[in-house]
Amino acid sequence: MLDDFLVRAALGGTGVALAAAPLGCFVVWRRMAYFGDATAHAAILGVALSLVLSTSLFAGVLTVSLLMAVAVSWLSGRGYAMDTLLGVMAHSALAFGLVAVSFVAGVRIDLMGYLVGDILAVGRADLAIIWGGALLVLALLGSRWSALLTATLSPDLAHAGGIDPRREQLVLTLCLAMVVAVAIKVVGVLLIAALLIIPAAAARPFSRTPERMVLIATAIGVLSANGGLAAAYRFDTPTGPTIVCLATLLFLAASLIGRRLESIAPRPARPHE
């Protein structure tokens, strides 16, 4: 079965969606969208590093993504405005990565594959990395679920309950770096943030609890990945962008339906918002 490239692509897209959707909910709740974007852009520098050192692409991307996320977290508390800091680091990391890749001699590099993904080229080894990373992310989020929610809702409440908000931030940072590393093959560095944010945002109008939002976001992410793959195969379009386009259409539909439902029966405010 795994000899069929479409089956491998579908499994790869599903694995990334399963990891990205729950994490994306925390990104939305904590308003960390640009944080995810900066971490994703740093992945190109990780690609260059892995090629120069002849190491695993996954290891290079994970290392640099994690270093970027930790650096942003560290600098944000030292007098730098978060949006300015993220803007500088996101674009500079992408630029340095692209320049560094051009200096790698004797290696033919498909930059478009790294920028917008190449899900149809996913192999068995890639599937092992994607699903291994996805299961690790889900295990981390599941084991820290209550603490993460409390720290997201109120750092003061977390402190009162003996929870260190910085430790929970570090857990999310590690998960974010892991998702970037496994998703680069599927949607590329320019679209990873979209796959994190859009399914979670689409799930929000229908969610009265954090757990329900995670489940709906996961369903939307899996539908986007597999539906986008089918549409790209049918219409011969770039697969990564097509996946994000379908996710966007689902978000627009969810927004319209959510407004309609709210006009009929307004809902009370939800604490996780």
Side-chain angles (χ1 to χ4, degrees):
M1 182 178 71
L2 292 180
D3 291 333
D4 189 333
F5 72 97
L6 284 177
V7 172
R8 293 196 302 271
L11 289 173
T14 299
V16 169
L18 289 175
L23 182 59
C25 291
F26 282 100
V27 169
V28 169
W29 294 333
R30 286 173 169 254
R31 295 173 173 84
M32 293 171 58
Y34 210 1
F35 187 93
D37 208 30
T39 307
H41 283 183
I44 283 293
L45 194 56
V47 171
L49 180 65
S50 65
L51 292 173
V52 169
L53 300 178
S54 300
T55 60
S56 162
L57 176 66
F58 173 78
V61 171
L62 178 61
T63 300
V64 174
S65 298
L66 185 57
L67 287 175
M68 167 65 82
V70 171
V72 170
S73 297
W74 182 73
L75 290 172
S76 63
R78 285 163 170 75
Y80 294 93
M82 179 61 80
D83 59 343
T84 301
L85 183 64
L86 288 173
V88 170
M89 297 193 72
H91 300 297
S92 60
L94 179 60
F96 275 109
L98 292 174
V99 171
V101 165
S102 69
F103 283 106
V104 180
V107 179
R108 294 190 62 185
I109 303 168
D110 178 17
L111 276 180
M112 284 301 292
Y114 292 124
L115 292 175
V116 298
D118 189 10
I119 189 174
L120 296 180
V122 168
R124 296 189 180 199
D126 297 316
L127 282 179
I129 290 173
I130 289 171
W131 277 91
L135 292 175
L136 181 57
V137 168
L138 292 175
L140 281 172
L141 292 178
S143 65
R144 303 299 306 169
W145 179 255
S146 180
L148 285 169
L149 277 180
T150 304
T152 298
L153 180 64
S154 170
D156 292 335
L157 183 62
H159 276 300
I163 298 170
D164 183 0
R166 283 188 168 272
R167 182 183 60 200
E168 305 313 317
Q169 174 72 32
L170 184 60
V171 171
L172 288 178
T173 297
L174 177 61
C175 290
L176 186 59
M178 185 74 68
V179 168
V180 168
V182 301
I184 188 172
K185 190 82 172 183
V186 175
V187 290
V189 300
L190 297 182
L191 302 174
I192 290 172
L195 199 60
L196 279 167
I197 298 163
I198 296 176
R204 201 166 190 170
F206 310 104
S207 307
R208 293 184 179 274
T209 65
E211 292 79 8
R212 184 174 180 180
M213 182 167 166
V214 166
L215 290 175
I216 296 175
T218 301
I220 292 173
V222 172
L223 177 60
S224 299
N226 289 279
L229 175 63
Y233 184 75
R234 172 66 177 81
F235 299 107
D236 193 24
T237 55
T239 311
T242 304
I243 290 172
V244 175
C245 285
L246 179 56
T248 303
L249 292 176
L250 292 174
F251 166 74
L252 293 174
S255 299
L256 292 174
I257 295 171
R259 286 190 177 186
R260 178 61 178 168
L261 292 176
E262 194 159 326
S263 67
I264 297 173
R267 298 170 302 170
R270 290 155 288 183
H272 61 281
E273 293 186 344

